[in-house]
Coordinates of all heavy atoms in Angstrom, one line a residue:
I1486 N -39.3 37.3 -7.7 CA -38.7 36.3 -6.8 C -37.4 36.7 -6.2 O -36.6 37.3 -6.9 CB -38.7 34.9 -7.6 CG1 -37.9 35.0 -8.8 CG2 -40.1 34.4 -7.9 CD1 -37.7 33.5 -9.3
R1487 N -37.2 36.3 -5.0 CA -35.9 36.6 -4.3 C -35.1 35.3 -4.2 O -35.6 34.1 -3.8 CB -36.1 37.3 -3.0 CG -36.9 36.5 -1.9 CD -37.1 37.4 -0.8 NE -35.7 37.6 -0.1 CZ -35.5 38.4 1.0 NH1 -36.6 39.2 1.3 NH2 -34.3 38.4 1.6
L1488 N -33.8 35.3 -4.5 CA -32.9 34.2 -4.2 C -31.9 34.6 -3.1 O -31.3 35.6 -3.2 CB -32.1 34.1 -5.5 CG -31.0 32.9 -5.5 CD1 -31.7 31.5 -5.4 CD2 -30.1 32.9 -6.8
D1489 N -31.9 33.7 -2.1 CA -31.2 34.1 -0.9 C -30.1 32.9 -0.6 O -30.5 31.8 -0.7 CB -32.0 34.3 0.3 CG -32.9 35.5 0.2 OD1 -33.9 35.5 -0.3 OD2 -32.5 36.5 0.9
D1490 N -29.0 33.3 -0.1 CA -28.0 32.3 0.4 C -28.7 31.7 1.8 O -29.1 32.5 2.6 CB -26.7 32.9 0.8 CG -26.0 33.3 -0.5 OD1 -26.4 32.9 -1.6 OD2 -25.0 34.0 -0.5
A1491 N -28.6 30.4 1.9 CA -29.1 29.8 3.2 C -27.9 29.0 3.9 O -28.1 28.8 5.0 CB -30.2 28.9 2.7
K1492 N -27.0 28.6 3.2 CA -25.9 27.8 3.7 C -24.6 27.9 2.9 O -24.8 27.8 1.6 CB -26.3 26.3 4.0 CG -25.3 25.5 4.5 CD -25.7 24.0 4.7 CE -24.7 23.1 5.3 NZ -25.1 21.7 5.4
A1493 N -23.4 27.9 3.4 CA -22.2 27.8 2.6 C -21.1 27.3 3.5 O -20.6 28.0 4.4 CB -21.9 29.1 2.1
N1494 N -20.7 26.1 3.4 CA -19.7 25.4 4.2 C -18.4 26.0 4.0 O -17.6 26.1 4.9 CB -19.7 24.0 3.9 CG -20.7 23.2 4.5 OD1 -21.8 23.8 4.9 ND2 -20.7 21.9 4.8
L1495 N -18.0 26.5 2.8 CA -16.6 27.0 2.4 C -16.5 28.4 2.1 O -15.6 28.8 1.6 CB -16.1 26.1 1.3 CG -16.2 24.5 1.5 CD1 -15.7 23.9 0.2 CD2 -15.4 24.2 2.7
A1496 N -17.6 29.2 2.3 CA -17.5 30.6 2.1 C -18.6 31.4 3.0 O -19.4 30.7 3.6 CB -17.9 30.8 0.6
L1497 N -18.6 32.6 3.0 CA -19.5 33.3 3.8 C -20.9 33.5 3.0 O -20.9 33.7 1.7 CB -19.0 34.8 3.9 CG -17.8 35.0 4.9 CD1 -17.3 36.4 4.9 CD2 -18.2 34.4 6.2
V1498 N -22.0 33.5 3.7 CA -23.3 33.7 3.0 C -23.4 35.2 2.9 O -23.0 36.0 3.6 CB -24.5 33.1 3.7 CG1 -24.2 31.5 3.8 CG2 -24.5 33.6 5.1
S1499 N -24.2 35.6 1.8 CA -24.4 37.1 1.7 C -25.9 37.2 2.3 O -26.8 36.6 2.0 CB -24.5 37.4 0.1 OG -25.1 38.7 -0.1
P1500 N -26.0 38.5 3.1 CA -27.3 38.8 3.7 C -28.2 39.5 2.7 O -29.3 39.7 3.0 CB -26.8 39.7 4.8 CG -25.6 40.3 4.3 CD -24.9 39.3 3.4
V1501 N -27.6 39.8 1.5 CA -28.5 40.6 0.6 C -29.1 39.7 -0.5 O -28.5 38.9 -1.2 CB -27.5 41.6 -0.2 CG1 -28.3 42.4 -1.2 CG2 -26.8 42.5 0.8
P1502 N -30.4 39.7 -0.7 CA -31.2 38.9 -1.6 C -30.9 39.4 -3.1 O -30.5 40.5 -3.3 CB -32.6 39.1 -1.3 CG -32.7 40.5 -0.7 CD -31.4 40.6 0.1
R1503 N -30.9 38.4 -3.9 CA -30.9 38.8 -5.5 C -32.2 38.6 -6.0 O -32.8 37.7 -5.7 CB -29.9 37.8 -6.1 CG -28.5 38.0 -6.0 CD -27.5 36.9 -6.1 NE -27.7 35.9 -4.9 CZ -27.0 35.0 -4.7 NH1 -26.1 34.5 -5.5 NH2 -27.0 34.2 -3.6
W1504 N -32.6 39.7 -6.6 CA -34.0 39.7 -7.0 C -34.1 39.3 -8.7 O -33.2 39.8 -9.5 CB -34.6 41.0 -6.9 CG -35.1 41.3 -5.5 CD1 -34.2 42.1 -4.6 CD2 -36.2 40.8 -4.8 NE1 -34.8 42.1 -3.6 CE2 -35.9 41.4 -3.6 CE3 -37.1 40.1 -5.2 CZ2 -37.0 41.1 -2.4 CZ3 -38.2 39.8 -4.1 CH2 -38.1 40.2 -2.9
L1505 N -35.1 38.6 -9.1 CA -35.3 38.2 -10.5 C -36.8 38.4 -10.7 O -37.7 38.4 -10.0 CB -34.9 36.8 -10.6 CG -33.6 36.2 -10.3 CD1 -33.6 34.6 -9.9 CD2 -32.6 36.6 -11.4

Side-chain angles (χ1 to χ4, degrees):
I1486 57 176
R1487 61 180 290 169
L1488 180 66
D1489 290 83
D1490 289 350
K1492 179 183 179 182
N1494 282 17
L1495 304 176
L1497 295 174
V1498 297
S1499 171
V1501 180
R1503 282 154 285 182
W1504 288 100
L1505 300 162

